[in-house]
Amino acid sequence: MRLLFALRPGRLLGTFLLTGLLLFASSCGDLAAALPERPTPVPTLARLPSVTPVTPSPTPSVTPLPTLTPTPVPLRGTVAVTANVRSGPGTGFTPVGVFDAGAPLILVSRNGDWFEVIGPGQLRGWMFLQVLEIDPTTAAAVPESDP
């Protein structure tokens, strides 16, 4: 103990620390086991995780919705009395056929009181308003045309 007091105060602290370290090291048993591993002479690279390539999925394309186009409903009428079907709008045009009373017609166009019609057998020609049965609203909806 005398030796400890003979030392200067700064060395006293160092002696205590050294003594404590020695006591700690001796209690650990194998000092080499307590130290971290030494580095190897050749550097070893850390293993990287394997990377599986990801195949990109195709970008979904936006399919536009179809534009709904209304189907035109044909304008219809009937033949009131058996009458000639003419090649043009007027009595000066030659007859191309005859439609019987009650025959259904599709109204294509009009020129004044003459209607271009398609009748049985797909015969196409012109007929005068007085020989036809046409609703006034339907008659007004038929497009006007030149012969």
Side-chain angles (χ1 to χ4, degrees):
M1 261 313 239
R2 218 171 180 165
L3 181 60
L4 291 177
F5 290 114
L7 296 174
R8 287 187 286 174
R11 287 190 176 194
L12 181 62
L13 181 60
T15 305
F16 279 128
L17 288 177
L18 184 59
T19 307
L21 184 60
L22 289 173
L23 288 174
F24 174 75
S26 65
S27 67
C28 287
D30 186 14
L31 185 60
L35 296 175
E37 262 187 59
R38 288 184 172 183
T40 61
V42 178
T44 56
L45 298 174
R47 290 197 117 217
L48 296 175
S50 65
V51 177
T52 305
V54 176
T55 306
S57 60
T59 305
S61 61
V62 177
T63 305
L65 295 175
T67 304
L68 297 178
T69 306
T71 305
V73 176
L75 301 170
R76 298 190 180 268
T78 56
V79 178
V81 294
T82 301
N84 288 332
V85 180
R86 299 190 172 268
S87 62
T91 55
F93 291 91
T94 59
V96 293
V98 175
F99 285 145
D100 293 327
L105 301 173
I106 296 174
L107 307 171
V108 179
S109 64
R110 79 182 278 168
N111 185 322
D113 287 340
W114 286 85
F115 287 83
E116 183 180 13
V117 297
I118 300 174
Q122 297 300 308
L123 179 63
R124 187 178 194 128
W126 291 82
M127 297 184 82
F128 193 65
L129 175 63
Q130 288 181 348
V131 296
L132 302 174
E133 289 180 8
I134 303 173
D135 180 75
T137 307
T138 303
V142 177
E144 191 80 28
S145 77
D146 294 326

